[in-house]
Amino acid sequence: MESKTTDIIEVGQGWACALRGVNDTLAVHCYYHNQLIAEVPVSEIVACIPFNHTPQKEEKKPWNAPFSTDKVPEPKSLIKTAITLNSLLCKATQSTNAYVVKADSDAPSLVIAVGGNSRYVYDDSELGNRVTTTEAAQNLAATGAAPVAFFKLSPPADATYQPTLGLVGLRSKDTPPTTRAFAHKGDMIYLLGRSVDDIASSEYLYSIHHIHPSPAPYINPQEQIRLQTVLAEAILKNLISGINSVTKGGIFTALVESSLPHQLGFDITTDAEIREDAFLFGESLGRFIVSTSEEHDAAFVDLMTRHKIPVTTLGHITKGEIRIDDISYGFIHDFA
């Protein structure tokens, strides 16, 4: 779906898409068995991307020097850092993991998932495309959909050098709908995916430490494939209450995003083997925040363990307070 293309693209299972411009508004037209089901404005699709704050006129220079997290000082106050990052990202956090279009109860749903990050593209376009496509794949996987097509949209006028890359997928009618929102106080919270000591190219590194450029964050496509395959099984078996892809802002931002819809909070413990700021604010790819009910908790953990998927118990959902390593960060309404 190139932005200048208007030809219909067959997606499969009766679905097709086309990019159309009507009254100066660019939209993806979604067809099911030749019937127009929805016109999704490109602006709404792009709104799912948490744009970073790299100045457009900053001098372009590739990263070509050694980088080590150990050389970056840890913040004096993680609470103040979390508040500052949240204020920067609160208008940029994604409203949903992906855009879902439904035809009828017996048809698969069409899912549009995107990724976009000018910082990685800015430094290395090839690597940037890989990173943003991986972000899109994570967002698609969080819905339980399987990818069937790739697309690229030109960057919006106010986000120079940041193209939108993404995937179109299909979600089976038998796959339960997912939500990023935490559901109930007391539900368990898990982190899926490998934890690494990595703050490269993160909003934290740029906005708090003012270090730019830096290398792209950790990414491992093979791990992604394995994790997302098992994740699809967990979603199909309805073992997950809430799921959120970890991207811009890291684990802390993902937790806040999941807490806000129902004004719930979280009480978690960080990984003792990883720097606390890297664990909370690093943006290494291939991770998901997952919440489970008491009813499905054991089956979920067993599934991940059997398939040797890295799963870390973070903590549990609270009535509204945010606690990290037994320290209160306030309440969720303070981060709205």
Side-chain angles (χ1 to χ4, degrees), residues 97-132:
N97 282 306
Y99 204 101
V100 180
V101 181
K102 297 181 180 180
D104 57 55
S105 59
D106 293 325
S109 298
L110 183 75
V111 183
I112 305 173
V114 293
N117 194 308
S118 61
R119 187 161 302 141
Y120 313 138
V121 177
Y122 183 88
D123 294 336
D124 183 330
S125 59
E126 182 177 349
L127 179 58
N129 288 341
R130 191 185 316 151
V131 169
T132 52

Side-chain angles (χ1 to χ4, degrees), residues 17 27 34 66 76 86 98 159 190 251 261 267 269:
C17 292
N34 300 319
K76 294 180 179 179
N86 183 74
Y190 295 98
I251 288 175
D267 186 342
T269 301

Side-chain angles (χ1 to χ4, degrees), residues 53-129:
H53 306 283
T54 303
Q56 297 178 14
K57 296 182 179 180
E58 187 172 1
E59 180 185 358
K60 296 179 181 179
K61 53 182 179 180
W63 178 259
N64 55 11
F67 176 82
S68 172
T69 300
D70 294 336
K71 295 182 179 180
V72 180
E74 296 186 53
K76 294 180 179 179
S77 171
L78 283 169
I79 297 177
K80 290 182 178 179
T81 299
I83 293 172
T84 300
L85 282 175
N86 183 74
S87 66
L88 289 172
L89 293 169
C90 64
K91 294 182 180 180
T93 51
Q94 303 175 67
S95 58
T96 181
N97 282 306
Y99 204 101
V100 180
V101 181
K102 297 181 180 180
D104 57 55
S105 59
D106 293 325
S109 298
L110 183 75
V111 183
I112 305 173
V114 293
N117 194 308
S118 61
R119 187 161 302 141
Y120 313 138
V121 177
Y122 183 88
D123 294 336
D124 183 330
S125 59
E126 182 177 349
L127 179 58
N129 288 341

Side-chain angles (χ1 to χ4, degrees), residues 25-247:
T25 299
L26 195 62
V28 176
H29 287 213
C30 304
Y31 299 88
Y32 184 65
H33 290 307
N34 300 319
Q35 179 182 353
L36 181 61
I37 300 298
E39 299 178 20
V40 186
V42 168
S43 58
E44 291 189 20
I45 297 174
V46 174
C48 290
I49 303 174
F51 284 83
N52 60 38
H53 306 283
T54 303
Q56 297 178 14
K57 296 182 179 180
E58 187 172 1
E59 180 185 358
K60 296 179 181 179
K61 53 182 179 180
W63 178 259
N64 55 11
F67 176 82
S68 172
T69 300
D70 294 336
K71 295 182 179 180
V72 180
E74 296 186 53
K76 294 180 179 179
S77 171
L78 283 169
I79 297 177
K80 290 182 178 179
T81 299
I83 293 172
T84 300
L85 282 175
N86 183 74
S87 66
L88 289 172
L89 293 169
C90 64
K91 294 182 180 180
T93 51
Q94 303 175 67
S95 58
T96 181
N97 282 306
Y99 204 101
V100 180
V101 181
K102 297 181 180 180
D104 57 55
S105 59
D106 293 325
S109 298
L110 183 75
V111 183
I112 305 173
V114 293
N117 194 308
S118 61
R119 187 161 302 141
Y120 313 138
V121 177
Y122 183 88
D123 294 336
D124 183 330
S125 59
E126 182 177 349
L127 179 58
N129 288 341
R130 191 185 316 151
V131 169
T132 52
T133 303
T134 299
E135 289 178 351
Q138 288 185 198
N139 289 330
L140 190 75
T143 71
V148 292
F150 170 86
F151 69 88
K152 177 179 179 180
L153 298 173
S154 298
D158 60 347
T160 302
Y161 215 69
Q162 179 162 326
T164 298
L165 303 177
L167 297 168
V168 175
L170 293 176
R171 186 174 70 189
S172 168
K173 64 182 180 63
D174 298 322
T175 300
T178 61
T179 176
R180 66 170 35 179
F182 288 152
H184 303 104
K185 174 182 177 295
D187 283 358
M188 293 298 295
I189 306 173
Y190 295 98
L191 174 67
L192 294 185
R194 183 186 300 274
S195 294
V196 294
D197 212 342
D198 180 19
I199 57 174
S201 278
S202 63
E203 193 64 42
Y204 164 68
L205 183 66
Y206 184 82
S207 296
I208 302 300
H209 294 285
H210 309 292
I211 296 177
H212 179 75
S214 64
Y218 175 85
I219 178 174
N220 187 312
Q222 286 71 36
E223 290 179 353
Q224 283 269 332
I225 293 171
R226 288 186 58 252
L227 170 55
Q228 292 178 20
T229 299
V230 180
L231 187 60
E233 182 179 348
I235 292 173
L236 184 62
K237 291 181 176 178
N238 206 21
L239 301 180
I240 293 174
S241 297
I243 178 170
N244 197 359
S245 173
V246 178
T247 53

Side-chain angles (χ1 to χ4, degrees), residues 308-319:
K308 299 182 180 180
I309 298 299
V311 55
T312 303
T313 302
L314 288 181
H316 63 274
I317 298 171
T318 69
K319 190 175 181 179

